[in-house]
Every structure is written in structure tokens, then in C-alpha cells.
Amino acid sequence: MNFSPLISQLIDSLKVLPGVGPKTAQRMALHLLERNPEGAKRLADSVELAIEKVGRCPRCRNLTEEELCGICRSSRRDASVLCVVESPSDVMAIEMSGGYSGRYFVLMGHLSPIDGIGPQDIGIDELEALLAEGEVKELILATNPTVEGEATAHYVAEKAKQYDVITSRIAHGVPLGGELEFVDGGTLTHAFSGRKVMNE
Amino acid sequence: MNFSPLISQLIDSLKVLPGVGPKTAQRMALHLLERNPEGAKRLADSVELAIEKVGRCPRCRNLTEEELCGICRSSRRDASVLCVVESPSDVMAIEMSGGYSGRYFVLMGHLSPIDGIGPQDIGIDELEALLAEGEVKELILATNPTVEGEATAHYVAEKAKQYDVITSRIAHGVPLGGELEFVDGGTLTHAFSGRKVMNE
Ligand SMILES: [Zn+2]
Ligand SMILES: [Zn+2]
């Protein structure tokens, strides 16, 4: 015997969430059905709406449902500094640290030849187009301090040599092998101020 | 700066899931948007459909979208034995153990005067109506071995005295203070075979 078809299907579909296995999915499904159908309805609506409306900012590739994302739109951000990160969570982590006022470029991943992820997949063409505009004077590479993140940073630094920008890599404080989004704000601020020039 | 409104709303709505705090909700939202929009769409559809269609079996109160749930409908189940549990997860845990072939009655909770949950809220009237039919000869109380679960078992045992049934409480193996749904099948089978008569 099993749960009824619709409950089984709900349990199954909850497994798309990261870190959710069969047991957790079952607990979540029953919780929604038994305890919080209104919350479940709101969840379904939010997921549907976000999937339909949220896309990428044409300038920085960050996730947004707006024409241009809030950061690219803001005149209070320093357009001469561009920080390259792997994901929207990294943008959020850096924003939370409060120590950065430039703009971002979100790769939405990192180079990973083994998974078939090349420069085009992480928006290197768009990044170069942005650099070619000439407004960016400093490029800060804040990809994760993992093997792939380092390789991606070096690839970008190499490309940046064709443009009139100072390229730096965030440094101190971010633990090696760690994920940027799990680092506290103070450490991130420190990493920004301790950045080293990569091309000279 | 924050995520855009729709992303913030998605993160917020994911917090209805049990065990999901702000950080996990953020990770889940970005995962759905970046990596698995198709899975997210299926999730939204499944939640919506389940919330709309799934209700309670009129006989045993278990969750089902069918007229009568699979277990109440099955002629292969022993209608003379009725097992009282707190939740659909408990039915599932007992079914997985494979040692039980009777039917169930799902309280959908336990007595909890402090939370205003009384006999009507856990379907005691429906349970008595079922016992009054006379088909049930043995009533097995498999509520959780917690303070509330024990109190609920004693309350049901007291009510059952008016009917011609042997009332037993599952015993050996279920760790005290533990939750039934997290107990392995072998332990549950053992608990069933070691049940003790409560009224004599
Ligand atoms: Zn943008
Ligand atoms: Zn039923």
C-alpha cells in the first residue's frame, strides 16, 4: 500500500528541492495537507509566478522580473567597479556585508569542462561587451575559492587584459574550499579590502 | 538591497515547509529558478492539485482524494481489527513494516487541552460510530508513546469500554518519547505482536 496518487505525486515533486529526500518530502507533503493548506496554496502560486516572470537582467545576468535589475538601475551604485560572482546568492551575501557599492556581473555558474560548461554558458561574451563599453575601471573577481572558481577567475582575468581595467581577486578571509554565500559579512568586507591586483 | 519582489515572495512562501528557515528557503528558491524551472512548475502543479483534491476518507479520516481510501476499500484487509493512529505518516510507517492487515482510524492529532484540541477535533464521535457498527472486534491503540499520545490512548480505551471490543495498546520496541513514524519496520512489527490488553 502507498499514499494515494496525488499525495505520492506531491511527495515526489517536493524532491526537486535541494536537500530534500523521500522522508523529508513525505513529512513536508503531509504537513502541507494536514496543517497548512493556505500556506501550500501561496507556495504553489509563488512558485508558478516566479517561474513565469523571473528571468535574467540583460546587463548583469542576475535573476530579476524587472526590465533591468535593481542594482543595475540604481544611480547610487558606482558603475566604475564591477564584481564578478558565480550566483545570485553571492550577490546577496556581498550586499548583506554592506561594504560594496559597485555593480555585479553574475556568471550563473563557473567554468567546468567536465560538465560541458564553457565560456558562453557563463556569459563571458556579455561580460566582455560590458568591459568594451569602457565605463568599468576595476573588475573584482569574487568567484568561489574552489578549484573551478579559481580557474574561472583566471580565465576572466586573462580576457580582461584586452580592456582598460584593473582586475583584482578577493582574498583574505574567505576560507579555502568554502562557499561564498555561507561566509559572514565581516569576513567578506575584509576579503574585499584585501583584494590583490591580478594583472599589472 | 534585496531580492526582487517575486523572488522575495517565493523565498517567504517556502518557509511554510517544516524545517525550512530563511537561509534554506533562499537556497531552495534560487535552486528552483536557476536550475530546475520544470521541476518547480511540476511542484506548483502538484501542490495546487493535492490541496484542491485531497480530503479525508469518511470512514478512517486518512488523507485521500478518493471516495473511500485504498485501505477502507480493500476487501483483503481484516475489518475486525482497527488500529488507531495519530497521523497518515503513522499509517505509512505501519504499512511499511508489513506485519499488519487490519484497518486504521486516523485521529489527525492527539488530545491537547492546552491547544484547545478536544475529542471532537480528533474524530472520537466518528470512531465511536464505527465501533457501534459491531464489525470491529479488536481495537489497537498505536498513538505515539508521548504524554499526549498516552493520554489519548487512555481516553479512547475508556470510550471503547461501551463496545464489544478487545482494546490493546502497542507496546514493546517503540522507544519512549519517540515518534512512531521514525521507528523501523521490525521494531513496529514487534510492538504489534507484543501488544497488551488494556480493558479486561
Ligand atoms: Zn542587473
Ligand atoms: Zn479510509
Side-chain angles (χ1 to χ4, degrees):
Chain A
M1 128 87 192
N2 257 306
F3 285 108
S4 64
L6 291 186
I7 301 178
S8 299
Q9 186 184 310
L10 173 58
I11 292 170
D12 212 56
S13 67
L14 281 162
K15 287 189 252 165
V16 302
L17 296 170
V20 175
K23 195 79 205 177
T24 305
Q26 180 184 314
R27 195 158 51 89
M28 286 176 164
L30 295 175
H31 176 91
L32 291 178
L33 293 169
E34 289 173 38
R35 309 274 167 80
N36 201 347
E38 297 83 10
K41 183 77 182 73
R42 272 201 311 278
L43 174 60
D45 292 346
S46 305
V47 171
E48 185 128 17
L49 201 61
I51 291 305
E52 191 192 323
K53 303 282 189 198
V54 173
R56 293 183 184 181
C57 172
R59 193 159 181 86
C60 72
R61 286 171 54 99
N62 201 357
L63 293 172
T64 185
E65 70 266 22
E66 290 155 314
E67 195 74 44
L68 204 63
C69 81
I71 293 177
C72 287
R73 226 169 44 219
S74 170
S75 59
R76 289 202 305 260
R77 310 292 302 214
D78 183 351
S80 74
V81 188
L82 189 70
C83 177
V84 177
V85 294
E86 294 187 23
S87 84
S89 316
D90 300 333
V91 171
M92 193 51 46
I94 294 168
E95 289 297 295
M96 300 281 206
S97 80
Y100 179 71
S101 60
R103 293 205 169 126
Y104 296 92
F105 188 84
V106 185
L107 301 172
M108 288 291 193
H110 47 236
L111 290 176
S112 182
I114 219 167
D115 302 310
I117 299 172
Q120 293 79 5
D121 305 302
I122 59 169
I124 297 300
D125 293 348
E126 290 96 320
L127 177 59
E128 287 201 62
L130 206 57
L131 296 178
E133 289 180 8
E135 202 178 9
V136 176
K137 297 301 175 202
E138 184 175 3
L139 187 66
I140 303 178
L141 304 179
T143 51
N144 284 320
T146 54
V147 174
E148 295 88 354
E150 290 292 349
T152 305
H154 279 95
Y155 183 88
V156 174
E158 205 54 44
K159 284 284 175 194
K161 282 183 178 163
Q162 307 162 56
Y163 308 93
D164 183 25
V165 289
I166 292 165
T167 304
S168 63
R169 175 90 173 100
I170 59 164
H172 305 106
V174 180
L176 284 174
E179 301 272 28
L180 215 71
E181 64 171 302
F182 300 114
V183 172
D184 67 284
T187 307
L188 275 171
T189 300
H190 200 77
F192 269 74
S193 66
R195 66 189 180 270
K196 294 177 301 185
V197 173
M198 281 177 82
N199 60 342
E200 27 215 330
Chain B
M1 128 88 194
N2 256 307
F3 285 109
S4 66
L6 291 186
I7 301 179
S8 299
Q9 186 184 310
L10 172 59
I11 293 172
D12 211 59
S13 67
L14 281 161
K15 288 189 253 166
V16 303
L17 296 170
V20 175
K23 195 79 205 174
T24 306
Q26 179 183 315
R27 195 159 50 87
M28 286 175 165
L30 295 176
H31 175 91
L32 292 178
L33 292 169
E34 289 173 37
R35 310 273 167 79
N36 201 347
E38 297 81 13
K41 185 74 183 75
R42 272 199 312 280
L43 173 59
D45 292 346
S46 304
V47 170
E48 185 129 15
L49 202 61
I51 291 305
E52 190 193 324
K53 303 282 189 198
V54 173
R56 292 183 185 180
C57 172
R59 193 159 180 87
C60 74
R61 286 170 55 96
N62 201 357
L63 293 172
T64 184
E65 70 265 22
E66 290 156 315
E67 195 75 45
L68 205 61
C69 82
I71 293 178
C72 288
R73 226 170 43 221
S74 169
S75 59
R76 289 202 306 259
R77 311 292 302 213
D78 183 351
S80 75
V81 187
L82 189 70
C83 176
V84 177
V85 293
E86 295 186 25
S87 85
S89 315
D90 299 334
V91 171
M92 194 47 49
I94 294 168
E95 288 297 296
M96 300 282 205
S97 81
Y100 179 71
S101 60
R103 292 204 171 128
Y104 295 93
F105 187 84
V106 185
L107 301 173
M108 289 289 193
H110 47 236
L111 291 176
S112 182
I114 219 168
D115 301 311
I117 299 172
Q120 293 79 5
D121 304 302
I122 60 169
I124 297 301
D125 293 349
E126 290 95 320
L127 177 58
E128 287 201 61
L130 206 57
L131 295 178
E133 287 179 10
E135 201 178 8
V136 176
K137 297 301 175 202
E138 184 176 4
L139 188 66
I140 302 178
L141 305 179
T143 51
N144 284 320
T146 54
V147 173
E148 296 87 354
E150 290 293 349
T152 305
H154 279 95
Y155 183 89
V156 174
E158 203 55 42
K159 285 283 173 194
K161 281 182 177 164
Q162 307 162 55
Y163 308 92
D164 184 25
V165 289
I166 293 165
T167 304
S168 63
R169 175 88 174 104
I170 59 165
H172 306 105
V174 181
L176 284 173
E179 302 272 28
L180 215 70
E181 65 171 300
F182 299 114
V183 172
D184 67 285
T187 307
L188 275 171
T189 301
H190 200 77
F192 268 74
S193 65
R195 66 187 181 269
K196 293 177 304 186
V197 172
M198 280 177 81
N199 61 345
E200 29 215 329

